[in-house]
Amino acid sequence: MSGLDPETVMQFLFALRKRGVTDARVLEAMEQVDRGRFVTGLFADRAYEDMPLPISCGQTISQPSVVGLMTQALDVRPRDTVLEIGTGSGYQAAILSKLARRVYTVERHRRLVSETGKLFADLGLTNITAMLSDGSFGLPEQAPFDRIIVTAAAEDPPGPLLAQLKIGGIMVLPVGQSDTVQQLIKVTRTEAGLDYEELTSVRFVPLLEGLGKDEA
Ligand code: SAH
């Protein structure tokens, strides 16, 4: 956010801290990525407010504090390979790219994959690979992953994603019915099995099957 006026940046970071985003590395990553590059059109001037906003294909860019809390819960280490399901605007992937060695992000809308691919190249984020696919099945050819983040809500954690998590790996995802409040959960794979922790209430668009029609 280096080109922005300092007051805007300070308020943006203050809103994150107020909502519980306190991890210094996460705050630093979020300070590096200008959210204004990921919001276009009518809502561009609201990019630095702590709210979700509409993007193309009828989808949304998540609220910055939710991005911060999810990233913080994911506890990304510098050598990690991370899988994100639901690229959307690409904002969450861009933040992960500052913290991880490599980020794979998959999206079911072709238009979002091509738009974000161009944006990542433009921003010099060369450690992100954006792909078109139904993320419910994960990315078997690159598995297993150190970290998995799902930014669309499923009723339960998808089995293929659990199977693609390394031992010691962490997955953060919203679960619950799509039209109600969902729970953000953190799943840790241990030698003995899976540990589940509930973090907070959130609201995400649903994790849908198959590829999008791209009519939007
Ligand atoms: N992480 C995004 C927010 C994404 S909104 C950001 O930072 O902006 C959720 C996204 O998940 C939408 O773009 C939606 O198209 C996508 N999605 C929903 N179901 C999916 C699936 N099965 N596979 C891949 N992407 C999916």
Side-chain angles (χ1 to χ4, degrees):
M1 302 178 75
S2 51
L4 297 172
D5 93 87
E7 182 69 25
T8 304
V9 179
M10 238 173 59
Q11 274 173 15
F12 183 80
L13 294 171
F14 179 74
L16 294 176
R17 286 202 195 87
K18 205 171 80 178
R19 297 265 181 160
V21 184
T22 52
D23 183 302
R25 286 187 316 139
V26 173
L27 287 167
E28 196 185 324
M30 293 187 74
E31 190 173 352
Q32 285 175 44
V33 178
D34 180 358
R35 189 169 183 251
R37 296 297 304 269
F38 298 83
V39 184
T40 50
L42 274 182
F43 294 93
D45 61 341
R46 313 199 74 170
Y48 308 110
E49 293 177 30
D50 191 25
M51 53 168 63
L53 295 170
I55 56 169
S56 53
C57 303
Q59 304 304 313
T60 50
I61 177 171
S62 311
Q63 186 174 348
S65 57
V66 171
V67 171
L69 290 172
M70 289 178 83
T71 309
Q72 187 165 283
L74 205 59
D75 194 17
V76 180
R77 302 159 305 175
R79 296 187 57 77
D80 282 349
T81 298
V82 182
L83 172 65
E84 180 194 28
I85 310 301
T87 313
S89 69
Y91 180 61
Q92 172 75 73
I95 288 160
L96 291 169
S97 80
K98 301 288 184 190
L99 297 165
R101 186 171 59 84
R102 173 142 293 280
V103 178
Y104 293 94
T105 181
V106 305
E107 168 58 55
R108 63 188 287 281
H109 284 288
R110 190 179 301 276
R111 177 168 158 192
L112 291 173
V113 177
S114 72
E115 284 173 0
T116 54
K118 282 189 206 118
L119 190 52
F120 296 146
D122 217 35
L123 296 172
L125 304 176
T126 52
N127 63 337
I128 307 179
T129 307
M131 297 166 79
L132 179 72
S133 89
D134 177 351
S136 330
F137 301 103
L139 202 57
E141 58 276 28
Q142 302 296 342
F145 298 97
D146 299 292
R147 301 290 186 258
I148 300 178
I149 181 169
V150 188
T151 62
E155 284 187 30
D156 294 299
L161 296 184
L162 291 171
Q164 291 171 30
L165 198 56
K166 280 186 194 170
I167 291 178
I170 297 172
M171 170 154 79
V172 173
L173 75 165
V175 291
Q177 305 284 345
S178 60
D179 49 353
T180 59
V181 169
Q182 305 131 7
Q183 282 302 309
L184 190 63
I185 63 166
K186 172 175 175 171
V187 185
T188 308
R189 173 175 288 286
T190 66
E191 296 277 359
L194 297 165
D195 279 351
Y196 291 85
E197 187 188 338
E198 280 198 8
L199 302 175
T200 185
S201 304
V202 285
R203 196 159 187 171
F204 276 85
V205 299
L207 187 73
L208 298 174
E209 277 179 25
L211 297 183
K213 300 271 186 287
D214 276 29
E215 62 284 309

